[in-house]
Every structure is written in C-alpha cells, then in structure tokens.
Amino acid sequence: MTYPVKMYQYHAWANQAIFNRLLELPGELYNQKIHSVFPSVAAALIHIYTVDFCWLKVLTGWDMKDALTEAHQMGGELEDLGAEELQLRFIELSDGYLSFFRGHPDLEQLITLDNPYAGIRDTRLSEIVLHVVNHGTYHRGNIAAMLRQLGSSSTMTDYAFFWYQEEAAVHPPFVNR
C-alpha cells in the first residue's frame, strides 16, 4: 500500500470518527446555527464532502471546471440530508476512492491540472490525494472547535490515534482469561 493510499484511509477513518461522535450528540447540533468558520457543523461536513467529490472526479479524468460545477450542484442537494444520510454518502465516496486506487496503482503519474482559481500546472495524482487528506484534517479541526462552541466535545481524529485503531483491528489486545 502506498503512502497516499494509507493517508486516504486515515482521512476516511477520521471522517467516520466525526460522524460517530455527532450521532452520539443531540441531533439538533448538526444543523444548529453558529457564528464560526461555517454556519453549522452540517455545512462544514458538506464542504468536506463536495471538495472530496470534486477531487475524485479530477482524479478520474474530469476537467476541474466541470468537476467543480458538479460538486457545487451536489452541495445544494446535500443540505437536505441528515447526519446519518450524509455519513452514508461519505462511505460511498470513500468506496469510490478505494476503487480508483485499485485501478490506478501509479499515483506518481503526472496530469495537467487546469484549476480555474489557480491556473495550470502538472500535478501528481498523489499530490491530489494528499491535498484531500490535508483539507479534511483542516476542516475536521474547524468542526471540533464548532462543537466546543456549541457546548459539546469532539473526538480524537489525530493521525497517531489512527495508528492505534488500525493496530487494534489487526492485533486485538490479549485478554487474560
């Protein structure tokens, strides 16, 4: 497994950790209006999703302008979803990324990216994947701060925490019987 794929697995795990925490909290926190980086936790999650969606389209060969248009349209549709429904969309999107990784073993492949906001440049597929991960980490931090503002706590989504969760799944702790 390549480093970008491992980092994407962390990204998917961290997103699910946020949803798992949200589903433990009172349901109204998901859409509660707040004066912060985003107007609600739901809006922050929708932003993460639509950006992830856009970049997957770019990875699979879409023109970035077309991918942005599609993602923007989808964002409006997602506003009506509850946390559980959006969580399922995140899982489906993660499956799309994993399918992409299986079909593209060379993530060091260069593509020409025509970013309407930043210009044209040659970019490795791995750079896009690492950008997706970094972007999600940044906004999960926003969500953690927003949950604090709303009187609740978030959950640990640090990469180091992912290591231990992953190890525990492969090598469960010994239980003395």
Side-chain angles (χ1 to χ4, degrees):
M1 172 184 333
T2 66
Y3 178 71
V5 172
K6 177 68 130 191
M7 292 305 297
Y8 182 81
Q9 288 177 332
Y10 155 69
H11 174 66
W13 169 85
N15 287 336
Q16 289 307 309
I18 288 289
F19 275 107
N20 291 344
R21 177 63 181 138
L22 279 173
L23 295 175
E24 295 171 350
L25 299 173
E28 63 271 7
L29 288 181
Y30 178 69
N31 284 308
Q32 187 171 335
K33 296 298 177 198
I34 182 172
H35 184 70
S36 189
V37 176
F38 291 94
S40 67
V41 171
L45 285 165
I46 290 169
H47 174 73
I48 294 170
Y49 181 91
T50 57
V51 169
D52 286 12
F53 176 87
C54 177
W55 284 114
L56 180 58
K57 293 295 184 191
V58 171
L59 286 168
T60 60
W62 282 45
D63 174 76
M64 187 165 187
K65 186 175 180 182
D66 294 339
L68 285 165
T69 299
E70 182 83 10
H72 180 71
Q73 290 173 349
M74 175 177 286
E77 298 168 14
L78 298 175
E79 291 174 2
D80 296 330
L81 299 182
E84 298 89 356
E85 295 165 309
L86 187 59
Q87 180 182 31
L88 291 175
R89 294 282 186 102
F90 266 86
I91 292 168
E92 291 169 2
L93 187 58
S94 292
D95 289 345
Y97 269 90
L98 297 177
S99 177
F100 171 77
F101 296 143
R102 282 190 295 275
H104 290 81
D106 181 15
L107 294 179
E108 296 310 307
Q109 174 188 343
L110 281 171
I111 64 167
T112 300
L113 181 65
D114 186 358
N115 185 325
Y117 300 108
I120 297 173
R121 77 180 297 266
D122 288 337
T123 305
R124 295 187 188 286
L125 298 176
S126 61
E127 290 179 294
I128 293 172
V129 174
L130 293 174
H131 169 70
V132 166
V133 174
N134 189 52
H135 177 264
T137 299
Y138 177 77
H139 289 305
R140 284 187 299 274
N142 294 148
I143 292 168
M146 292 167 72
L147 288 173
R148 285 261 183 228
Q149 282 180 266
L150 293 168
S152 293
S153 62
S154 185
T155 188
M156 295 292 290
T157 59
D158 289 358
Y159 182 56
F161 216 1
F162 169 71
W163 298 337
Y164 293 100
Q165 298 294 318
E166 186 181 44
E167 270 182 30
V170 175
H171 305 289
F174 178 74
V175 178
N176 192 359
R177 296 177 199 233

